[in-house]
Amino acid sequence: MSELKPLDADGPAAIVEPPTIAMVGGDGKLTLGGYAWSIFEGGRDPFIILVTIYIFMPYVASVLVGDPVRGQATISSWDQIIGWVVVVTAPFLGASIDKLGPRKPWLGLIVGLMVPMIAALWFARPGGWMTLAMLATLYIGARLLFVYAEVLHNSMLIRAAGLRAAHKASALALSLGNAASVVALAFTAWAFALPGKVHWSWVPAAPLFGLNPLTHEPERVVALMAAGLLAVGSIPLFLFTPDAPRTGVPVLTAWGNGAAELWRMLKTVRRYKDAVIYLASRMFFVDGMNAVLIYAGVYAIGVMKWGPLEMLAYGIMLSVLAVGGGFLARWLDGVLGPKAALRIQISVTAVCLTAMLGIAPDRLFYFWPYDAAAHAPLWGGPVFRHLPDWAFIGIGFLNAIFITGQYASSRTLLTRLTPPEQTGAFFGVYALSGVATLWLAPTLVNIGTTMTHSQQGGFASIIVLLVIGLIGLAFVKGGGRELQRSA
């Protein structure tokens, strides 16, 4: 489900160097190197879906922390640290990439560290030797390395596929990331979560490999799956994707030159008022959108009292439906223009979040109490048997579609506000705007959860970010149905 990832869809600094663009055009056909580049994303994205959003971190919040409210506050504090480190380091890495030369050695080092760190999460069990501090160190480290891997991977796109096939490789990568995540979620449900809970002929009688539900092994095993998929998905990239040539520039010099390049980009962009207002607005609404995804699992397991099976089913459905967000964005961009499309996408997400806060197993939309004992189940299946469950799922469907669409419309709007000859600089700052406030949503969620002693209070703070971004968009000129550029 790569469209639903908790970081900016283009990575923190997806900057491609002009000399490469001039030299590598390609014939529009996807080569072996392009396919290999796309496969890497298919192996990388399940870490976010399985570990961060739907299975492992909700398990951490509800079981290891022991209380979903404290769990949400704890995890948001970890995300604050991730955000602070990313905003200080990732933009400079992105701007320095051209000068560093080959990406594969750095990417190999990152993957070599990530795989054992993710796999080690398997040992995070109640009463085990791994403390919460050790778990936090592994999780924060793996998330940071994920961001750096995304920066390096994005920078290899043009060499991997050429300019004329870059969009094909990018689309294939998104599809593979989504498909791998759905398959991994479905396999986890079939092999580990459903056995022993249903008596269906096609489901094993007991969890495969002897996994013990009493020690939460079915939840913990997703860490091993994510680590394995990352390792296997990396192999084609290292074997077949072309790398950048050596530059001979020392690492510290490259970072210094990158800082100077970043400053030049900022000076270029600030001359265009509407683009600056848009990028400033985006810092808020994209952070809010990302937060909805990151904390969706922790919120559902705490407020709706869902277990691993429900979370697996929820993740599968949302991952599949998220694909529709890209098609919706394309239609809205064409009919209304990307700015209007963005305003709709942000507004719908804000309204959905407001409605979601009023849903609980015993309540529908704030005002209607619901007694499960007084109502017959809607169906006889093992999950989602009552109306509040489906109301919550319906809101999740809308969020998945409109948040995914927002990522697509955001890119399109920037192209309508920028001069063609400055596209590289603007997309560099666009990537920077995606991480500049990465710490803000976790901070607000942490404060809101701690002050109100409720997950709803933490989630309500996300709406503030969406509203600020929506207000900022009102001051942006251009971005209509017809191609308009600000001067």
mmCIF file of all heavy atoms in Angstrom, residues 305-350:
data_model
loop_
_atom_site.group_PDB
_atom_site.id
_atom_site.type_symbol
_atom_site.label_atom_id
_atom_site.label_comp_id
_atom_site.label_asym_id
_atom_site.label_seq_id
_atom_site.Cartn_x
_atom_site.Cartn_y
_atom_site.Cartn_z
ATOM 1 N N LYS A 305 -11.625 -1.213 19.989
ATOM 2 C CA LYS A 305 -11.333 -2.480 20.669
ATOM 3 C C LYS A 305 -11.128 -3.622 19.678
ATOM 4 O O LYS A 305 -11.473 -4.781 19.951
ATOM 5 C CB LYS A 305 -12.456 -2.855 21.659
ATOM 6 C CG LYS A 305 -12.885 -1.730 22.577
ATOM 7 C CD LYS A 305 -11.724 -1.183 23.396
ATOM 8 C CE LYS A 305 -12.166 -0.047 24.316
ATOM 9 N NZ LYS A 305 -11.032 0.605 25.005
ATOM 10 N N TRP A 306 -10.567 -3.295 18.520
ATOM 11 C CA TRP A 306 -10.295 -4.328 17.531
ATOM 12 C C TRP A 306 -9.047 -5.103 17.905
ATOM 13 O O TRP A 306 -8.114 -4.573 18.520
ATOM 14 C CB TRP A 306 -10.110 -3.705 16.148
ATOM 15 C CG TRP A 306 -11.377 -3.183 15.545
ATOM 16 C CD1 TRP A 306 -12.651 -3.359 16.008
ATOM 17 C CD2 TRP A 306 -11.492 -2.403 14.360
ATOM 18 N NE1 TRP A 306 -13.558 -2.735 15.184
ATOM 19 C CE2 TRP A 306 -12.873 -2.137 14.163
ATOM 20 C CE3 TRP A 306 -10.578 -1.897 13.436
ATOM 21 C CZ2 TRP A 306 -13.341 -1.399 13.081
ATOM 22 C CZ3 TRP A 306 -11.039 -1.153 12.353
ATOM 23 C CH2 TRP A 306 -12.412 -0.918 12.177
ATOM 24 N N GLY A 307 -9.000 -6.351 17.475
ATOM 25 C CA GLY A 307 -7.835 -7.192 17.670
ATOM 26 C C GLY A 307 -7.041 -7.335 16.382
ATOM 27 O O GLY A 307 -7.336 -6.693 15.364
ATOM 28 N N PRO A 308 -6.026 -8.202 16.388
ATOM 29 C CA PRO A 308 -5.174 -8.371 15.193
ATOM 30 C C PRO A 308 -5.946 -8.783 13.950
ATOM 31 O O PRO A 308 -5.637 -8.323 12.845
ATOM 32 C CB PRO A 308 -4.191 -9.471 15.624
ATOM 33 C CG PRO A 308 -4.159 -9.396 17.115
ATOM 34 C CD PRO A 308 -5.535 -8.984 17.532
ATOM 35 N N LEU A 309 -6.953 -9.654 14.105
ATOM 36 C CA LEU A 309 -7.709 -10.102 12.933
ATOM 37 C C LEU A 309 -8.466 -8.940 12.297
ATOM 38 O O LEU A 309 -8.479 -8.784 11.062
ATOM 39 C CB LEU A 309 -8.672 -11.224 13.331
ATOM 40 C CG LEU A 309 -9.478 -11.849 12.184
ATOM 41 C CD1 LEU A 309 -8.557 -12.365 11.092
ATOM 42 C CD2 LEU A 309 -10.371 -12.971 12.716
ATOM 43 N N GLU A 310 -9.119 -8.143 13.132
ATOM 44 C CA GLU A 310 -9.822 -6.972 12.598
ATOM 45 C C GLU A 310 -8.855 -6.016 11.914
ATOM 46 O O GLU A 310 -9.161 -5.460 10.847
ATOM 47 C CB GLU A 310 -10.565 -6.239 13.723
ATOM 48 C CG GLU A 310 -11.809 -6.943 14.226
ATOM 49 C CD GLU A 310 -11.523 -7.934 15.322
ATOM 50 O OE1 GLU A 310 -10.326 -8.215 15.586
ATOM 51 O OE2 GLU A 310 -12.475 -8.456 15.923
ATOM 52 N N MET A 311 -7.688 -5.811 12.498
ATOM 53 C CA MET A 311 -6.726 -4.893 11.908
ATOM 54 C C MET A 311 -6.195 -5.408 10.579
ATOM 55 O O MET A 311 -5.951 -4.635 9.650
ATOM 56 C CB MET A 311 -5.561 -4.660 12.884
ATOM 57 C CG MET A 311 -5.950 -3.907 14.157
ATOM 58 S SD MET A 311 -6.815 -2.347 13.839
ATOM 59 C CE MET A 311 -5.604 -1.504 12.832
ATOM 60 N N LEU A 312 -6.020 -6.718 10.470
ATOM 61 C CA LEU A 312 -5.587 -7.300 9.201
ATOM 62 C C LEU A 312 -6.645 -7.082 8.125
ATOM 63 O O LEU A 312 -6.333 -6.661 7.002
ATOM 64 C CB LEU A 312 -5.308 -8.792 9.381
ATOM 65 C CG LEU A 312 -3.993 -9.156 10.064
ATOM 66 C CD1 LEU A 312 -4.017 -10.597 10.531
ATOM 67 C CD2 LEU A 312 -2.829 -8.928 9.109
ATOM 68 N N ALA A 313 -7.901 -7.362 8.462
ATOM 69 C CA ALA A 313 -8.978 -7.168 7.491
ATOM 70 C C ALA A 313 -9.104 -5.701 7.095
ATOM 71 O O ALA A 313 -9.285 -5.362 5.910
ATOM 72 C CB ALA A 313 -10.298 -7.683 8.068
ATOM 73 N N TYR A 314 -9.014 -4.831 8.084
ATOM 74 C CA TYR A 314 -9.093 -3.385 7.836
ATOM 75 C C TYR A 314 -7.958 -2.936 6.912
ATOM 76 O O TYR A 314 -8.174 -2.182 5.954
ATOM 77 C CB TYR A 314 -9.013 -2.675 9.185
ATOM 78 C CG TYR A 314 -9.255 -1.183 9.161
ATOM 79 C CD1 TYR A 314 -10.431 -0.647 8.658
ATOM 80 C CD2 TYR A 314 -8.308 -0.303 9.703
ATOM 81 C CE1 TYR A 314 -10.663 0.725 8.679
ATOM 82 C CE2 TYR A 314 -8.537 1.067 9.728
ATOM 83 C CZ TYR A 314 -9.706 1.572 9.211
ATOM 84 O OH TYR A 314 -9.934 2.918 9.227
ATOM 85 N N GLY A 315 -6.749 -3.391 7.189
ATOM 86 C CA GLY A 315 -5.601 -3.024 6.357
ATOM 87 C C GLY A 315 -5.735 -3.497 4.939
ATOM 88 O O GLY A 315 -5.399 -2.780 3.981
ATOM 89 N N ILE A 316 -6.232 -4.718 4.749
ATOM 90 C CA ILE A 316 -6.400 -5.255 3.394
ATOM 91 C C ILE A 316 -7.399 -4.418 2.620
ATOM 92 O O ILE A 316 -7.162 -4.012 1.473
ATOM 93 C CB ILE A 316 -6.847 -6.723 3.460
ATOM 94 C CG1 ILE A 316 -5.717 -7.603 4.014
ATOM 95 C CG2 ILE A 316 -7.259 -7.224 2.074
ATOM 96 C CD1 ILE A 316 -6.161 -9.008 4.359
ATOM 97 N N MET A 317 -8.547 -4.148 3.239
ATOM 98 C CA MET A 317 -9.588 -3.386 2.537
ATOM 99 C C MET A 317 -9.113 -1.981 2.178
ATOM 100 O O MET A 317 -9.320 -1.505 1.051
ATOM 101 C CB MET A 317 -10.852 -3.325 3.391
ATOM 102 C CG MET A 317 -11.572 -4.651 3.519
ATOM 103 S SD MET A 317 -13.180 -4.539 4.344
ATOM 104 C CE MET A 317 -12.707 -4.177 6.030
ATOM 105 N N LEU A 318 -8.467 -1.308 3.117
ATOM 106 C CA LEU A 318 -8.012 0.056 2.845
ATOM 107 C C LEU A 318 -6.893 0.082 1.819
ATOM 108 O O LEU A 318 -6.823 1.002 0.999
ATOM 109 C CB LEU A 318 -7.561 0.733 4.138
ATOM 110 C CG LEU A 318 -8.611 1.642 4.788
ATOM 111 C CD1 LEU A 318 -9.846 0.834 5.191
ATOM 112 C CD2 LEU A 318 -8.034 2.353 6.006
ATOM 113 N N SER A 319 -6.021 -0.911 1.830
ATOM 114 C CA SER A 319 -4.929 -0.952 0.864
ATOM 115 C C SER A 319 -5.462 -1.105 -0.547
ATOM 116 O O SER A 319 -4.949 -0.501 -1.494
ATOM 117 C CB SER A 319 -3.979 -2.108 1.194
ATOM 118 O OG SER A 319 -3.370 -1.923 2.446
ATOM 119 N N VAL A 320 -6.483 -1.928 -0.689
ATOM 120 C CA VAL A 320 -7.074 -2.134 -2.019
ATOM 121 C C VAL A 320 -7.810 -0.871 -2.476
ATOM 122 O O VAL A 320 -7.661 -0.406 -3.606
ATOM 123 C CB VAL A 320 -8.030 -3.341 -1.996
ATOM 124 C CG1 VAL A 320 -8.791 -3.444 -3.311
ATOM 125 C CG2 VAL A 320 -7.245 -4.625 -1.742
ATOM 126 N N LEU A 321 -8.598 -0.287 -1.583
ATOM 127 C CA LEU A 321 -9.388 0.886 -1.956
ATOM 128 C C LEU A 321 -8.533 2.116 -2.206
ATOM 129 O O LEU A 321 -8.921 3.009 -2.960
ATOM 130 C CB LEU A 321 -10.404 1.196 -0.864
ATOM 131 C CG LEU A 321 -11.679 0.349 -0.897
ATOM 132 C CD1 LEU A 321 -12.517 0.603 0.323
ATOM 133 C CD2 LEU A 321 -12.497 0.655 -2.144
ATOM 134 N N ALA A 322 -7.354 2.187 -1.586
ATOM 135 C CA ALA A 322 -6.495 3.356 -1.769
ATOM 136 C C ALA A 322 -6.108 3.562 -3.214
ATOM 137 O O ALA A 322 -5.836 4.688 -3.639
ATOM 138 C CB ALA A 322 -5.238 3.213 -0.911
ATOM 139 N N VAL A 323 -6.085 2.470 -3.984
ATOM 140 C CA VAL A 323 -5.741 2.586 -5.409
ATOM 141 C C VAL A 323 -6.704 3.543 -6.102
ATOM 142 O O VAL A 323 -6.328 4.276 -7.017
ATOM 143 C CB VAL A 323 -5.778 1.195 -6.079
ATOM 144 C CG1 VAL A 323 -5.515 1.300 -7.571
ATOM 145 C CG2 VAL A 323 -4.753 0.278 -5.422
ATOM 146 N N GLY A 324 -7.957 3.560 -5.662
ATOM 147 C CA GLY A 324 -8.940 4.445 -6.283
ATOM 148 C C GLY A 324 -8.635 5.911 -6.090
ATOM 149 O O GLY A 324 -9.142 6.758 -6.835
ATOM 150 N N GLY A 325 -7.802 6.234 -5.104
ATOM 151 C CA GLY A 325 -7.469 7.630 -4.869
ATOM 152 C C GLY A 325 -6.740 8.260 -6.035
ATOM 153 O O GLY A 325 -6.968 9.432 -6.367
ATOM 154 N N GLY A 326 -5.862 7.495 -6.665
ATOM 155 C CA GLY A 326 -5.146 8.023 -7.822
ATOM 156 C C GLY A 326 -6.072 8.327 -8.980
ATOM 157 O O GLY A 326 -5.944 9.360 -9.651
ATOM 158 N N PHE A 327 -7.038 7.440 -9.217
ATOM 159 C CA PHE A 327 -7.996 7.661 -10.307
ATOM 160 C C PHE A 327 -8.905 8.846 -9.987
ATOM 161 O O PHE A 327 -9.226 9.651 -10.867
ATOM 162 C CB PHE A 327 -8.820 6.396 -10.539
ATOM 163 C CG PHE A 327 -8.023 5.231 -11.047
ATOM 164 C CD1 PHE A 327 -7.647 4.211 -10.194
ATOM 165 C CD2 PHE A 327 -7.626 5.166 -12.376
ATOM 166 C CE1 PHE A 327 -6.900 3.137 -10.650
ATOM 167 C CE2 PHE A 327 -6.887 4.097 -12.852
ATOM 168 C CZ PHE A 327 -6.519 3.080 -11.986
ATOM 169 N N LEU A 328 -9.330 8.949 -8.732
ATOM 170 C CA LEU A 328 -10.173 10.083 -8.348
ATOM 171 C C LEU A 328 -9.425 11.396 -8.525
ATOM 172 O O LEU A 328 -9.984 12.386 -9.022
ATOM 173 C CB LEU A 328 -10.618 9.925 -6.899
ATOM 174 C CG LEU A 328 -11.430 11.094 -6.331
ATOM 175 C CD1 LEU A 328 -12.774 11.210 -7.044
ATOM 176 C CD2 LEU A 328 -11.643 10.938 -4.825
ATOM 177 N N ALA A 329 -8.147 11.426 -8.116
ATOM 178 C CA ALA A 329 -7.360 12.651 -8.245
ATOM 179 C C ALA A 329 -7.220 13.051 -9.708
ATOM 180 O O ALA A 329 -7.335 14.235 -10.043
ATOM 181 C CB ALA A 329 -5.982 12.448 -7.611
ATOM 182 N N ARG A 330 -6.973 12.067 -10.564
ATOM 183 C CA ARG A 330 -6.826 12.385 -11.993
ATOM 184 C C ARG A 330 -8.114 12.987 -12.542
ATOM 185 O O ARG A 330 -8.085 13.953 -13.320
ATOM 186 C CB ARG A 330 -6.447 11.114 -12.767
ATOM 187 C CG ARG A 330 -6.183 11.361 -14.238
ATOM 188 C CD ARG A 330 -5.625 10.121 -14.908
ATOM 189 N NE ARG A 330 -6.606 9.038 -14.945
ATOM 190 C CZ ARG A 330 -6.365 7.838 -15.472
ATOM 191 N NH1 ARG A 330 -5.177 7.570 -15.980
ATOM 192 N NH2 ARG A 330 -7.300 6.906 -15.466
ATOM 193 N N TRP A 331 -9.258 12.444 -12.121
ATOM 194 C CA TRP A 331 -10.534 12.965 -12.598
ATOM 195 C C TRP A 331 -10.799 14.366 -12.049
ATOM 196 O O TRP A 331 -11.188 15.278 -12.792
ATOM 197 C CB TRP A 331 -11.653 12.012 -12.191
ATOM 198 C CG TRP A 331 -13.016 12.459 -12.656
ATOM 199 C CD1 TRP A 331 -13.533 12.372 -13.915
ATOM 200 C CD2 TRP A 331 -14.014 13.099 -11.852
ATOM 201 N NE1 TRP A 331 -14.801 12.913 -13.948
ATOM 202 C CE2 TRP A 331 -15.114 13.357 -12.694
ATOM 203 C CE3 TRP A 331 -14.077 13.454 -10.511
ATOM 204 C CZ2 TRP A 331 -16.279 13.971 -12.227
ATOM 205 C CZ3 TRP A 331 -15.237 14.061 -10.042
ATOM 206 C CH2 TRP A 331 -16.323 14.315 -10.895
ATOM 207 N N LEU A 332 -10.591 14.557 -10.754
ATOM 208 C CA LEU A 332 -10.818 15.872 -10.154
ATOM 209 C C LEU A 332 -9.868 16.921 -10.724
ATOM 210 O O LEU A 332 -10.275 18.063 -10.972
ATOM 211 C CB LEU A 332 -10.639 15.793 -8.638
ATOM 212 C CG LEU A 332 -11.737 15.074 -7.841
ATOM 213 C CD1 LEU A 332 -11.335 14.961 -6.382
ATOM 214 C CD2 LEU A 332 -13.071 15.797 -7.981
ATOM 215 N N ASP A 333 -8.605 16.549 -10.919
ATOM 216 C CA ASP A 333 -7.639 17.488 -11.490
ATOM 217 C C ASP A 333 -8.086 17.955 -12.871
ATOM 218 O O ASP A 333 -7.933 19.127 -13.234
ATOM 219 C CB ASP A 333 -6.254 16.846 -11.601
ATOM 220 C CG ASP A 333 -5.613 16.626 -10.238
ATOM 221 O OD1 ASP A 333 -6.152 17.120 -9.241
ATOM 222 O OD2 ASP A 333 -4.567 15.945 -10.184
ATOM 223 N N GLY A 334 -8.629 17.014 -13.661
ATOM 224 C CA GLY A 334 -9.040 17.362 -15.011
ATOM 225 C C GLY A 334 -10.319 18.174 -15.057
ATOM 226 O O GLY A 334 -10.457 19.093 -15.864
ATOM 227 N N VAL A 335 -11.270 17.867 -14.190
ATOM 228 C CA VAL A 335 -12.578 18.531 -14.225
ATOM 229 C C VAL A 335 -12.561 19.866 -13.492
ATOM 230 O O VAL A 335 -13.113 20.863 -13.982
ATOM 231 C CB VAL A 335 -13.658 17.603 -13.621
ATOM 232 C CG1 VAL A 335 -14.989 18.338 -13.504
ATOM 233 C CG2 VAL A 335 -13.818 16.359 -14.469
ATOM 234 N N LEU A 336 -11.925 19.916 -12.326
ATOM 235 C CA LEU A 336 -11.960 21.107 -11.480
ATOM 236 C C LEU A 336 -10.631 21.838 -11.380
ATOM 237 O O LEU A 336 -10.592 23.003 -10.990
ATOM 238 C CB LEU A 336 -12.420 20.730 -10.066
ATOM 239 C CG LEU A 336 -13.778 20.039 -9.950
ATOM 240 C CD1 LEU A 336 -14.018 19.614 -8.513
ATOM 241 C CD2 LEU A 336 -14.885 20.946 -10.440
ATOM 242 N N GLY A 337 -9.539 21.156 -11.682
ATOM 243 C CA GLY A 337 -8.212 21.718 -11.471
ATOM 244 C C GLY A 337 -7.630 21.202 -10.168
ATOM 245 O O GLY A 337 -8.367 20.873 -9.224
ATOM 246 N N PRO A 338 -6.308 21.119 -10.062
ATOM 247 C CA PRO A 338 -5.688 20.515 -8.880
ATOM 248 C C PRO A 338 -5.907 21.283 -7.580
ATOM 249 O O PRO A 338 -5.974 20.674 -6.521
ATOM 250 C CB PRO A 338 -4.199 20.453 -9.253
ATOM 251 C CG PRO A 338 -4.026 21.474 -10.336
ATOM 252 C CD PRO A 338 -5.312 21.484 -11.092
ATOM 253 N N LYS A 339 -6.024 22.628 -7.650
ATOM 254 C CA LYS A 339 -6.237 23.354 -6.397
ATOM 255 C C LYS A 339 -7.610 23.038 -5.812
ATOM 256 O O LYS A 339 -7.734 22.761 -4.605
ATOM 257 C CB LYS A 339 -6.109 24.869 -6.607
ATOM 258 C CG LYS A 339 -6.148 25.632 -5.279
ATOM 259 C CD LYS A 339 -5.932 27.125 -5.449
ATOM 260 C CE LYS A 339 -7.193 27.829 -5.915
ATOM 261 N NZ LYS A 339 -7.063 29.298 -5.855
ATOM 262 N N ALA A 340 -8.634 23.039 -6.637
ATOM 263 C CA ALA A 340 -9.971 22.683 -6.159
ATOM 264 C C ALA A 340 -9.998 21.221 -5.707
ATOM 265 O O ALA A 340 -10.652 20.892 -4.709
ATOM 266 C CB ALA A 340 -11.003 22.912 -7.258
ATOM 267 N N ALA A 341 -9.291 20.368 -6.421
ATOM 268 C CA ALA A 341 -9.234 18.958 -6.027
ATOM 269 C C ALA A 341 -8.619 18.816 -4.640
ATOM 270 O O ALA A 341 -9.127 18.065 -3.794
ATOM 271 C CB ALA A 341 -8.418 18.164 -7.055
ATOM 272 N N LEU A 342 -7.543 19.541 -4.402
ATOM 273 C CA LEU A 342 -6.894 19.482 -3.088
ATOM 274 C C LEU A 342 -7.821 19.985 -1.987
ATOM 275 O O LEU A 342 -7.882 19.395 -0.896
ATOM 276 C CB LEU A 342 -5.622 20.323 -3.105
ATOM 277 C CG LEU A 342 -4.292 19.598 -3.295
ATOM 278 C CD1 LEU A 342 -3.145 20.589 -3.248
ATOM 279 C CD2 LEU A 342 -4.108 18.517 -2.240
ATOM 280 N N ARG A 343 -8.527 21.056 -2.257
ATOM 281 C CA ARG A 343 -9.424 21.610 -1.237
ATOM 282 C C ARG A 343 -10.520 20.594 -0.886
ATOM 283 O O ARG A 343 -10.901 20.461 0.278
ATOM 284 C CB ARG A 343 -10.019 22.927 -1.727
ATOM 285 C CG ARG A 343 -8.967 24.008 -1.907
ATOM 286 C CD ARG A 343 -9.518 25.273 -2.527
ATOM 287 N NE ARG A 343 -10.299 26.045 -1.579
ATOM 288 C CZ ARG A 343 -10.812 27.248 -1.834
ATOM 289 N NH1 ARG A 343 -10.601 27.810 -3.021
ATOM 290 N NH2 ARG A 343 -11.498 27.898 -0.935
ATOM 291 N N ILE A 344 -11.017 19.890 -1.895
ATOM 292 C CA ILE A 344 -12.024 18.855 -1.644
ATOM 293 C C ILE A 344 -11.418 17.712 -0.831
ATOM 294 O O ILE A 344 -12.015 17.233 0.142
ATOM 295 C CB ILE A 344 -12.596 18.328 -2.986
ATOM 296 C CG1 ILE A 344 -13.434 19.425 -3.659
ATOM 297 C CG2 ILE A 344 -13.428 17.076 -2.760
ATOM 298 C CD1 ILE A 344 -13.875 19.076 -5.068
ATOM 299 N N GLN A 345 -10.236 17.274 -1.220
ATOM 300 C CA GLN A 345 -9.595 16.142 -0.552
ATOM 301 C C GLN A 345 -9.293 16.448 0.910
ATOM 302 O O GLN A 345 -9.530 15.616 1.794
ATOM 303 C CB GLN A 345 -8.317 15.770 -1.311
ATOM 304 C CG GLN A 345 -8.584 15.146 -2.674
ATOM 305 C CD GLN A 345 -7.474 15.403 -3.683
ATOM 306 O OE1 GLN A 345 -6.493 16.092 -3.388
ATOM 307 N NE2 GLN A 345 -7.612 14.851 -4.873
ATOM 308 N N ILE A 346 -8.792 17.651 1.177
ATOM 309 C CA ILE A 346 -8.493 18.033 2.555
ATOM 310 C C ILE A 346 -9.776 18.194 3.360
ATOM 311 O O ILE A 346 -9.875 17.752 4.508
ATOM 312 C CB ILE A 346 -7.669 19.337 2.582
ATOM 313 C CG1 ILE A 346 -6.318 19.128 1.882
ATOM 314 C CG2 ILE A 346 -7.434 19.799 4.020
ATOM 315 C CD1 ILE A 346 -5.567 20.420 1.635
ATOM 316 N N SER A 347 -10.783 18.819 2.758
ATOM 317 C CA SER A 347 -12.055 19.048 3.455
ATOM 318 C C SER A 347 -12.728 17.732 3.818
ATOM 319 O O SER A 347 -13.226 17.562 4.948
ATOM 320 C CB SER A 347 -12.989 19.891 2.583
ATOM 321 O OG SER A 347 -12.431 21.158 2.319
ATOM 322 N N VAL A 348 -12.774 16.809 2.874
ATOM 323 C CA VAL A 348 -13.400 15.511 3.142
ATOM 324 C C VAL A 348 -12.670 14.792 4.271
ATOM 325 O O VAL A 348 -13.291 14.208 5.165
ATOM 326 C CB VAL A 348 -13.433 14.652 1.867
ATOM 327 C CG1 VAL A 348 -13.857 13.216 2.198
ATOM 328 C CG2 VAL A 348 -14.384 15.244 0.846
ATOM 329 N N THR A 349 -11.330 14.833 4.253
ATOM 330 C CA THR A 349 -10.559 14.182 5.307
ATOM 331 C C THR A 349 -10.848 14.808 6.664
ATOM 332 O O THR A 349 -11.010 14.098 7.673
ATOM 333 C CB THR A 349 -9.057 14.265 5.007
ATOM 334 O OG1 THR A 349 -8.792 13.687 3.717
ATOM 335 C CG2 THR A 349 -8.246 13.523 6.050
ATOM 336 N N ALA A 350 -10.934 16.144 6.721
ATOM 337 C CA ALA A 350 -11.227 16.824 7.988
ATOM 338 C C ALA A 350 -12.616 16.454 8.501
ATOM 339 O O ALA A 350 -12.809 16.201 9.699
ATOM 340 C CB ALA A 350 -11.102 18.334 7.811
#
